[in-house]
Amino acid sequence: MTQLHELDAASTAAAIASGEVSAIEVTQAHLDRITAVDGDVRAFLHVDTEGALAAANAVDEQRSAGAALGPLAGVPLAMKDVVVTKGLPTTSGSKILEGWVPPYDATVTRRVLDAGIVMLGKTNMDEFAMGSSTENSAYHPTHNPWDLSRVPGGSSGGSAAAVAAFEAPLSIGTDTGGSIRQPAAVTGIVGHKPTYGAVSRYGLIAFSSSLDQAGPFGRTVLDAALLHEVIAGPDPLDSTSIPQPGPDVVAAARQGARGDLAGVRVGVVRELTGAGGGYQQGVLDCFRAAVDTLAGLGAEIVEVSCPNFDYALAAYYLIAPSECSSNLARFDGVRYGLRVGDDGSHSLEEVMSLTREQGFGAEVKRRIMIGTYALSSGYYDAYYGQAQKVRTLIARDFAAAFTAVDVLVSPTSPFVAFGIGERVADPMAMYVNDLCTLPASLAGTPAISVPCGLSDETGPALPVGLQIMAPAMADDRCYRVGAAFEAAYTAANGFILKQISQLGAVR
Amino acid sequence: MTVRDDVQLDLSYDSVVRRFAPVIGLETHVELGTVSKMFCGCSTEFGAEPNTHTCPVCLGLPGALPVVNAKAIEYTIRIGLALNCSIAEWCRFARKNYFYPDMPKNFQISQYDEPLCVDGHLDVVVEGQTYRVGIERVHMEEDTGKNTHVGGATGRIHGAEYSLVDFNRAGIPLIEIVTKPVEGTGPLAPEVAKAYVTELRDILRSLGVSDVKMEQGSLRCDVNTSLSPIGVSEWGTRTETKNVNSLRSVERAVRSEIIRQAAILDRGGKIKQETRHFQETTGETRSGRSKEEATDYRYFPEPDLVPVAPARDWVAEIRASLPELPAARRTRLKSELGLSTEDLQQMVNAGVVEAVGETVQAGASATEARNWWMGYLAEQANSREVEPTSLPITPAQVARVILLVADGKLSTALARQAVDGVLQTGKDVDAIVAERGLAVVSDTSELTRAADEAIAANPDVADKVRGGKVAAVGALVGAVMKATRGQADAPAVRQILLQQLGVSE
């Protein structure tokens, strides 16, 4: 018999709803799994055993009372630590927030809890979501379940690893430049960055306000869609929240799973297929095979050019640091979190300065300094202003492409998971991880990453992700094409996560 | 002109303004009277326990996001329209970045190069002459928290033992109204500055957008001043004077800054561009931080807020709903109350036109309303060193007193006692009258008895009156008034006394 922690979210919810299993049993199974494997994976920063069991119990009581349950009621979830949770420590992966217990819930948290989803705990991440490997966590690195010596991607590495290691069927990540999609790709799971404004940012500890977006991780496209539906929708607490409801992504995932893509036009982005080098061959091979699979499902494949995508990396590394330099100003030791030097011998300015010196890690400081410089009087136009113009050009490239095609595809990341410590000394080597994911971030458009094969180019067989991008508010297209691809891939190769050779336990 | 070393220069104000032309500019901050804060639902009520009107948003907690208060936008548009501004079709908020512990986010949400209202004007009349003050912009921002520095001599952060921060004020909607440089006022620059702030305050009050209490900080004013020698068209270096917390201070601050700058220029010195603080006690300004080392605020568009794009028909709706503004009301009152230009000007100078108008509107006669506000209330205000309209009495309450007098229920003396009662306790007129038993004794038999007693008690005086010295009856009137604890109507008492003494006037 399949163990409870191996079930996907949709099956788990169905089993709970039918009374086959209790939410408590499901939650306990996942807590046991965490106990068994998280010492190796280290996906979690904080496990809330008591809270999770209480939430599961509430679902079981509702069910016995005959109340209607939501589509994911009783299903466990891991929450990225950048999302504020009332009464649960929230650090955003930083020492500067160590010990802070928020007095309020993020809208995402609220919606997850209101849906009867059981929050198991908070997951590890690059400090303030800045990074692509989770090595920038102030607490510890997280290990990739496929190869524990490798990174799980980042910044949502803890959330991705938890799902890939079967510690939770679902998790929440946030994506600023690729922080959901790239970890999903390198851990062999599904991750979706919704349209900017589709999911409320209220209660997400801001990194770059104009780019940050929360989204779902799951082991299947349908699971991701089910979670997407729970967290998305207008929120009066977020001025940038889109006031209209989004498309029906669950229906789109179900439609896609039937495997018919006849009439769907798929654009292969020339600029994101490694023409200029820098992409691993194994990644490109998987990507090409994936495009052939889409063609086999009836999709019409065309090559499109988005010339301004070449400037995405440069623009992103001005806009995100600029916004973060302002967003992170509030961490000064005056009101909450870490305070250093308050011994009567230091002035206010010195206490602020010492707190920030000791509380922030190197990557965070690097970006605060870049951003402070870019916003300075006399440099604003040349840097921040210019980067915003590039952003407009990238959005225009998308708009032009979407007049000819329904979705755009590319590899999610140029690389498979790399070794822990391998890239930490070279920020640029780290930044290029996001090469393929940055354009959709800058344009505010949705994109999903779906596993599309394994590459053993760098050692063991490691997962590769297929990125499917759609126009704003057409997230349903990502799910439809993603689910169709997933069905075809699984039919041909089996469920990808069953090929994880480490951690045992998965059949 | 040339400065001669051998001449003792005259630094009297009159002399200074014969040699220099002042240019002034005013930046006025107004706390809007919305029920909730600029970017969250917290109350804006003044005087609550510290840090009780706070939430994750106005405390700037990690993850919290601002949402614009639509009422604040509406109020700002009302102000812009009343000041003849254009209302932007599209504008944005910006972040002003600097570290200070009264700012929870270490940036202030403000407007920078895209304000909501631009390019307006406000006409003020000083000594019969109209001066048009150009309005550069009206923009929105959030107020900061309030620091209290404990220990140390200065009350400033340096030298303090510790500091307390109250975030109740953090996030209260604030608008900043910036004038263009005002030239051509000559010696009247201080009066024009005061008249501008007065007129602005009256407009804001009539718009109902703020309680405009300078003493509570809901109206705060910074005054820029520069001098150039007469005949030189280039402007001098300006200073910015802060801490100008009353109308009277506006005038004093400009005057003292003009004299201070002239003294420097006369010696061939240079004015330093700086922020200065007005000292209420000395009437002088004192150097604050230097503008030369001004921080780089690293303004950029606030990414957490969508742009504000007020629909044109909404703006038209707001325009149509504007109340009668003070200038128009003055013109109307002048004709309705039959005031001479001088009368009106006196009332304007005393700052009571609005109050008189509202008192008349509440049912009082124009003459009585004018007499009260220009007379007894002006005296009370003067002795308390506040503006008459800052007295804790409303025009409606004044009108009630006037009506009671007109109905013969209060004498003038009793009416003043009633007003004193309102000023002391804040209670309503009728409550004061009832509590203190203030009522004219109009019972003739009671008054006749009191008159007879007074005559009996003062036979000498009575004889004098009988003997033709009618004026001496005043002493008897006084005795009766005393006996009736001031509640009798003095003219009536006099009539009765003369009648009882068999004397006619």
Side-chain angles (χ1 to χ4, degrees), chain A residues 104 201 203 326-327 329 332 335 377, chain B residues 62-64 95 97 104 106 296 304:
Chain A
Y104 78 107
R201 290 186 299 112
S326 174
N327 283 330
D332 60 6
R335 293 163 303 279
S377 166
Chain B
R95 289 191 188 172
N97 294 286
N106 282 327
D296 181 350
D304 284 333

Side-chain angles (χ1 to χ4, degrees), chain A residues 282-478:
Chain A
V283 169
L284 292 177
D285 291 346
C286 285
F287 174 67
R288 279 177 197 135
V291 172
D292 289 345
T293 302
L294 292 173
L297 292 169
E300 182 194 329
I301 310 293
V302 290
E303 192 185 69
V304 297
S305 176
C306 296
N308 293 297
F309 283 16
D310 288 344
Y311 306 108
L313 189 82
Y316 176 84
Y317 279 99
L318 287 169
I319 291 169
S322 295
E323 294 182 4
C324 99
S325 73
S326 174
N327 283 330
L328 269 57
R330 72 190 63 193
F331 303 106
D332 60 6
V334 171
R335 293 163 303 279
Y336 45 77
L338 183 72
R339 180 186 288 185
V340 180
D342 184 19
D343 55 9
S345 74
H346 296 100
S347 71
L348 171 73
E349 288 82 358
E350 285 165 349
V351 170
M352 285 179 165
S353 177
L354 286 167
T355 300
R356 291 168 69 81
E357 162 64 29
Q358 289 187 32
F360 287 142
E363 182 61 26
V364 172
K365 285 179 195 161
R366 178 181 295 121
R367 296 201 195 186
I368 289 174
M369 284 189 282
I370 292 172
T372 303
Y373 182 80
L375 288 178
S376 296
S377 166
Y379 297 97
Y380 178 91
D381 289 339
Y383 295 122
Y384 190 77
Q386 200 70 5
Q388 290 290 15
K389 288 180 193 164
V390 169
R391 200 169 175 175
T392 304
L393 293 175
I394 287 169
R396 283 189 195 154
D397 278 359
F398 269 114
F402 287 129
T403 60
V405 298
D406 300 306
V407 294
L408 292 169
V409 294
S410 76
T412 305
S413 171
F415 323 114
V416 294
F418 46 89
I420 290 174
E422 204 176 287
R423 290 177 187 244
V424 283
D426 183 355
M428 276 310 290
M430 197 65 91
Y431 293 174
V432 290
N433 275 292
D434 299 332
L435 217 51
C436 307
T437 48
L438 291 172
S441 294
L442 290 165
T445 48
I448 199 167
S449 179
V450 180
C452 72
L454 296 170
S455 163
D456 57 7
E457 190 183 351
T458 64
L462 293 167
V464 172
L466 167 68
Q467 178 177 230
I468 303 159
M469 297 170 273
M473 287 303 265
D475 299 61
D476 51 335
R477 294 188 201 173
C478 298

Side-chain angles (χ1 to χ4, degrees), chain B residues 50-338:
Chain B
N51 296 309
T52 53
H53 293 166
T54 57
C55 73
V57 176
C58 58
L59 288 175
L61 291 188
L65 294 174
V67 176
V68 175
N69 180 343
K71 203 77 195 168
I73 304 274
E74 184 194 320
Y75 280 10
T76 309
I77 293 173
R78 282 170 82 85
I79 293 165
L81 292 172
L83 297 176
N84 307 293
C85 290
S86 315
I87 308 303
E89 298 202 5
W90 188 93
C91 71
R92 283 190 291 194
F93 285 95
R95 289 191 188 172
K96 181 180 184 179
N97 294 286
Y98 64 99
F99 283 82
Y100 208 70
D102 63 6
M103 268 204 318
K105 304 184 292 294
N106 282 327
F107 61 78
Q108 181 190 32
I109 305 178
S110 179
Q111 291 196 289
Y112 180 48
D113 50 358
E114 297 163 314
L116 181 53
C117 316
V118 294
D119 204 19
H121 64 262
L122 175 60
D123 290 337
V124 297
V125 180
V126 174
E127 296 192 359
Q129 173 88 34
T130 300
Y131 295 88
R132 173 154 292 191
V133 178
I135 305 293
E136 177 87 31
R137 58 191 280 154
V138 180
H139 80 234
M140 299 174 281
E141 59 190 35
E142 56 179 339
D143 210 340
T144 60
K146 198 167 163 40
N147 285 349
T148 309
H149 305 296
V150 183
T154 57
R156 300 208 170 184
I157 192 163
H158 295 290
E161 257 170 65
Y162 60 92
S163 302
L164 300 168
V165 193
D166 177 7
F167 289 114
N168 282 353
R169 199 180 69 180
I172 287 188
L174 207 56
I175 58 148
E176 184 173 336
I177 302 165
V178 183
T179 71
K180 294 174 180 168
V182 185
E183 298 178 85
T185 57
L188 290 177
E191 285 81 3
V192 171
K194 183 189 176 191
Y196 164 78
V197 180
T198 309
E199 185 73 7
L200 184 62
R201 181 200 61 179
D202 291 347
I203 287 176
L204 295 168
R205 187 179 285 144
S206 67
L207 291 173
V209 296
S210 170
D211 62 8
V212 288
K213 288 183 179 160
M214 288 188 95
E215 63 278 13
Q216 285 185 4
S218 60
L219 181 76
R220 316 200 271 271
C221 195
D222 302 341
V223 189
N224 294 330
T225 313
S226 72
L227 293 186
S228 46
I230 299 281
V232 174
S233 58
E234 206 176 305
W235 294 341
T237 304
R238 70 165 195 276
T239 59
E240 181 180 5
T241 304
K242 290 185 180 287
N243 196 32
V244 186
N245 294 329
S246 70
L247 292 173
R248 188 162 157 263
S249 300
V250 172
E251 186 177 338
R252 290 170 78 207
V254 174
R255 192 177 299 272
S256 93
E257 191 54 19
I258 287 173
I259 293 173
R260 188 191 69 85
Q261 291 187 14
I264 294 170
L265 295 171
D266 277 344
R267 287 194 308 271
K270 278 191 171 155
I271 305 300
K272 195 165 124 199
Q273 184 170 345
E274 62 179 351
T275 299
R276 301 186 65 81
H277 293 275
F278 181 69
Q279 311 296 308
E280 199 72 54
T281 43
T282 61
E284 288 172 355
T285 68
R286 197 161 68 190
S287 180
R289 77 186 138 85
S290 168
K291 275 266 169 178
E292 283 157 46
E293 51 197 85
T295 15
D296 181 350
Y297 292 124
R298 291 176 285 114
Y299 282 101
F300 74 107
E302 167 57 277
D304 284 333
L305 291 171
V306 291
V308 175
R312 293 298 99 178
D313 48 359
W314 187 42
V315 174
E317 224 172 86
I318 297 171
R319 190 190 294 276
S321 75
L322 288 183
E324 183 183 40
L325 295 178
R329 187 175 314 169
R330 277 197 300 272
T331 312
R332 183 171 59 77
L333 286 176
K334 183 169 179 281
S335 69
E336 278 181 15
L337 307 183

